[in-house]
Amino acid sequence: MRTGQDYLAGLKDGRTIIVDGEAIHDVAAHPAFAPIATTIGELFDLAADPAQGMTATAPETGAQTNRINIIPRSREDLAGFRHTAEAWARHTHGWVGRSPDHVAAFVNGFAAHPEAFAAGDRDLSANVLAYHRRMQTENPYVSYAIIPPQVSRATTAHAWDGDFVQVGVTEERSDGIVVRGAQMLATGGPVADEILVSCIKPLTDDDADFALSFVVPVAAEGLKLYCRRPFAPAATSSYDYPLTSRYDETDALLVFDDVFVPWEKVLVYRDVAGLRRQFFDTGAHVLGNWQAQIRFAVKLQFIAGLARKVAAVNGVDRFPGVVEKLGELAGLTSVVESAVLAAEYTAADDGSGLWLPGKRAVYGAMGLQAELYPRALAILRDLVGGGVLQVPSGVADMRNPETRADIDRYIQSPSAPAEERVKLFKLVWDAVGSEFAGRHHQYEMFYAGAPFVVKGYAYRNYGFDGPLAEVDAFLGSYGVD
């Protein structure tokens, strides 16, 4: 099994990551990326520990692999995936949205239905199976970039000014293809091993040059990753920014300057219909988003724990109004927890031997995520009030004897000394008010697409035929007579 040390050593591959106009080649040593790289390494160490029960024998290879790489062929396999996804999410308290289990779930779906990759002009099904088996044996951290740059939402890539703004194929060779352009938004990409590049946005027949799926090493020649501003370097200490200093998974725009991709790493080639097949005809989309809801449930539990702790420290946890707020937060969290379990309970064989979580439960919870998360934060904000503002500027104020006496006297609670109270409220601020918190607010609202798109998934997968038939039957049971 791959360890954290193995993973960190692999990051020293000369990749080109751009921050503030500077090209960074050793992310494991850079303050913007070392914290999240360390966290990902801890996930690999956790999985490699036999006591955690996070490994299984892969039927395809006979090798021991992380359970995240096992195609679910039974309800028990789904439970094994959930166990591993929950264990990783609990290690990060749900604050790492693109841990390695996310894209792994998609690739499991791909490999369960290789025929979806054989229907175009090129049969690429063998590539999909080979890549899945490599994931089982090597356990790489794969991120993905599956959205075009936001040049225009009214048109698709073929109509944009300039050649190859969205990544597309510029040359076909006997040994592979050459791609040029950009794609977004590779969350965790700077510290991943490889990136799955594709397009989930619907394209037209005129966009065939951009209808691609391929896997590329982050260190590929000609590939650059332009990062949004990393927050970790501004974290003055883990006491002041306990989440930022550990879990800032930088998002990045990928720019391809004539990057060569060998044929064996190409999964979809100039096949507009194939882009949709890979996500929705294979079960990959529901598997990947079930993982996302597992992680989201753990994050909401952590936020609920923060709210309950704040109420107790402030001595208001028995006030009816506070109990009402905590009860609402408990209800919101329970919705996602229950959906995760309901999806597993209603799982079924899709007819090919692949077991998929119940789509009604997965997409129902996902459809509410853009409302659930902001509401959970609003409740937490309401409970902490000005407490997150009445904190020292930094941990140095706690260490200086000349200022510590004032803090101990004036920033304390009957149930918590100043050091513990400040520590708690610093954590809450990092969850609701810091730049890291703002990014997470935006991420949870839009990670799966615009809210109308996500609610469309919920609508299409709910199954309205039964309720409509019941209404029609009832209407038919009486009349004007």
Side-chain angles (χ1 to χ4, degrees):
M1 285 296 297
R2 193 183 197 196
T3 66
Q5 185 176 2
D6 297 332
Y7 159 73
L8 291 171
L11 295 179
K12 300 179 183 297
D13 54 9
R15 60 190 59 201
T16 300
I17 313 298
I18 310 296
V19 177
D20 288 332
E22 176 190 358
I24 298 163
H25 303 293
D26 186 359
V27 294
H30 193 278
F33 308 106
I36 185 61
T38 298
T39 296
I40 298 298
E42 291 167 356
L43 297 183
F44 281 113
D45 282 337
L46 193 67
D49 179 2
Q52 301 300 321
M54 296 170 68
T55 62
T57 301
E60 296 83 1
T61 62
Q64 280 294 110
T65 190
N66 192 318
R67 286 185 182 274
I68 66 170
N69 298 316
I70 298 291
I71 297 173
R73 301 294 187 185
S74 65
R75 198 185 309 276
E76 290 72 26
D77 285 343
L78 284 171
F81 182 94
R82 176 173 55 80
H83 167 78
T84 298
E86 283 181 343
W88 271 2
R90 293 208 181 283
H91 188 76
T92 65
H93 311 291
W95 292 94
V96 174
R98 287 289 185 260
S99 49
D101 45 336
H102 185 68
V103 174
F106 280 83
V107 176
N108 288 340
F110 293 171
H113 282 284
E115 72 280 358
F117 300 85
D121 291 338
R122 283 180 176 269
D123 182 351
L124 299 172
S125 57
N127 293 357
V128 172
L129 293 174
Y131 188 67
H132 180 249
R133 288 171 181 169
R134 192 168 77 79
M135 289 191 71
Q136 290 181 331
T137 55
E138 298 180 18
N139 291 284
Y141 173 19
V142 184
S143 178
Y144 65 15
I146 59 174
I147 302 292
Q150 289 187 351
V151 173
S152 170
R153 294 189 175 186
T155 57
T156 52
H158 78 278
W160 295 350
D161 290 337
D163 293 335
F164 296 101
V165 177
Q166 179 176 340
V167 65
V169 59
T170 63
E171 182 184 354
E172 178 181 325
R173 298 175 7 187
S174 61
D175 55 348
I177 61 175
V178 177
V179 297
R180 183 187 305 157
Q183 203 76 336
M184 59 180 273
L185 186 62
T187 298
V191 294
D193 297 302
E194 299 176 341
I195 299 177
L196 169 66
V197 182
S198 188
C199 184
I200 199 169
K201 177 183 176 180
L203 299 180
T204 71
D205 291 341
D206 293 326
D207 296 306
D209 287 343
F210 310 96
L212 308 172
S213 286
F214 58 89
V215 181
V216 62
V218 178
E221 184 178 355
L223 174 60
K224 295 173 287 188
L225 276 66
Y226 286 87
C227 301
R228 58 114 173 118
R229 177 164 298 284
F231 307 134
T236 50
S237 73
S238 60
Y239 184 88
D240 294 319
Y241 295 96
L243 301 175
T244 304
S245 61
R246 291 172 171 83
Y247 308 132
D248 180 26
E249 47 178 346
T250 305
D251 313 286
L253 172 74
L254 276 60
V255 173
F256 298 84
D257 185 8
D258 291 340
V259 175
F260 173 70
V261 182
W263 279 119
E264 58 266 25
K265 294 294 184 70
V266 179
L267 309 183
V268 175
Y269 183 66
R270 304 189 84 253
D271 183 2
V272 173
L275 292 177
R276 182 168 182 83
R277 285 197 306 271
Q278 69 177 341
F279 291 118
F280 299 103
D281 290 2
T282 65
H285 196 263
V286 68
L287 286 170
N289 283 289
W290 187 51
Q291 179 278 336
Q293 292 305 305
I294 294 169
R295 191 270 317 163
F296 185 50
V298 171
K299 187 177 186 180
L300 287 178
Q301 290 166 358
F302 186 76
I303 290 172
L306 279 179
R308 183 65 180 84
K309 181 76 171 178
V310 164
V313 167
N314 283 343
V316 297
D317 51 333
R318 296 185 183 276
F319 287 15
V322 172
V323 170
E324 179 187 7
K325 295 291 186 185
L326 291 173
E328 182 182 353
L329 185 51
L332 297 176
T333 304
S334 295
V335 166
V336 183
E337 293 171 346
S338 300
V340 166
L341 295 177
E344 187 176 319
Y345 179 76
T346 58
D349 188 325
D350 72 348
S352 72
L354 171 66
W355 274 67
L356 291 176
K359 295 180 181 180
R360 176 189 285 195
V362 171
Y363 290 118
M366 195 170 81
L368 291 176
Q369 190 164 341
E371 284 81 33
L372 291 177
Y373 192 70
R375 182 56 190 156
L377 293 185
I379 292 171
L380 182 54
R381 282 180 177 276
D382 194 30
L383 292 174
V384 298
V388 290
L389 307 179
Q390 182 195 284
V391 290
S393 57
V395 71
D397 293 336
M398 308 293 293
R399 294 170 178 162
N400 185 345
E402 295 182 8
T403 55
R404 179 61 183 264
D406 286 339
I407 294 170
D408 283 341
R409 181 177 182 182
Y410 297 114
I411 310 179
Q412 48 88 21
S413 300
S415 62
E419 182 174 335
E420 293 304 311
R421 179 184 172 84
V422 172
K423 185 179 183 181
L424 172 62
F425 279 74
K426 289 275 192 181
L427 172 56
V428 173
W429 179 251
D430 213 10
V432 303
S434 66
E435 281 192 292
F436 174 87
R439 180 264 175 194
H440 269 263
H441 192 161
Q442 199 76 357
Y443 173 84
E444 298 296 0
M445 290 183 66
F446 294 100
Y447 94 89
F452 80 91
V453 172
V454 180
K455 286 181 171 61
Y457 295 141
Y459 167 77
R460 290 188 294 275
N461 289 281
Y462 177 74
F464 278 100
D465 289 349
L468 278 174
E470 185 175 349
V471 170
D472 287 340
F474 184 74
L475 287 171
S477 69
Y478 62 92
V480 295
D481 299 330

